[in-house]
Amino acid sequence: MKKFFSVGLAIVMLILCVTPVFAGSQSMEISTKADRAEYELTYPADIEIPWQTTAIDIGEVTATKMLIEPDKMVKVSVSSQNNYNLVNEKDSEKTIAYSLLSGNISFFPGDYGESFTLSVEVEDNEWLHAASGKHSDILTFTAEYTDAV
């Protein structure tokens, strides 16, 4: 008797768990949601430019995560502590001017894995008039989450 009652109860539960469809069609929604925007970027490490090199790639800015809203972007700007001059460590008046190429970068939704190469150019004349010794500058990268343009 217990077995008969258990089997009957199992059949009733099975019938109640299935949504019957008689005529026409039925639809269901399937969705997902990210609770907040997230992004991660990698920046170049320190680099030493070989003496008298006129052009060199110094690294890449890469989007390693780009989970942002469709109407937004991540804008990366680069600034120089010494106004794009390599400054001699013993005499700050002795400098080597350089140009940074690809300094303004924008990432958009779905740009995961996208990279922008940063390059430095130094005119021959700057090398000819440079003092010996170590020269350096510090580049600062600033990422801003903003409306897409």
Side-chain angles (χ1 to χ4, degrees):
M1 183 70 164
K2 278 186 174 182
K3 288 183 183 178
F4 179 73
F5 181 72
S6 296
V7 170
L9 185 58
I11 291 172
V12 168
M13 288 178 62
L14 185 61
I15 291 172
L16 292 175
C17 290
V18 176
T19 304
V21 176
F22 298 105
S25 65
Q26 183 172 347
S27 62
M28 64 176 267
E29 178 182 9
I30 186 167
S31 64
T32 185
K33 178 182 172 189
D35 291 330
R36 64 175 189 240
E38 294 181 40
Y39 61 91
E40 291 177 5
L41 305 169
T42 59
Y43 301 102
D46 294 350
I47 186 171
E48 185 171 319
I49 299 171
W51 194 258
Q52 295 184 322
T53 299
T54 57
I56 188 171
D57 291 342
I58 61 168
E60 295 180 333
V61 177
T62 303
T64 54
K65 181 188 262 187
M66 199 51 52
L67 181 61
I68 61 176
E69 298 173 69
D71 58 342
K72 299 289 186 180
M73 65 185 237
V74 176
K75 183 178 178 180
V76 179
S77 58
V78 184
S79 61
S80 163
Q81 179 178 334
N82 298 315
N83 200 29
Y84 301 100
N85 287 287
L86 300 169
V87 177
N88 188 286
E89 69 181 354
K90 291 184 179 177
D91 182 353
S92 62
E93 297 295 316
K94 306 295 183 193
T95 63
I96 302 170
Y98 69 93
S99 299
L100 178 68
L101 308 177
S102 301
N104 295 312
I105 301 162
S106 297
F107 293 101
F108 297 92
D111 278 354
Y112 169 79
E114 290 289 322
S115 294
F116 290 86
T117 301
L118 298 173
S119 301
V120 166
E121 288 185 352
V122 180
E123 297 291 327
D124 284 327
N125 195 43
E126 291 293 321
W127 292 116
L128 293 174
H129 295 96
S132 65
K134 181 178 179 181
H135 296 71
S136 64
D137 190 14
I138 295 177
L139 297 178
T140 302
F141 296 87
T142 305
E144 178 185 7
Y145 185 64
T146 184
D147 293 331
V149 273

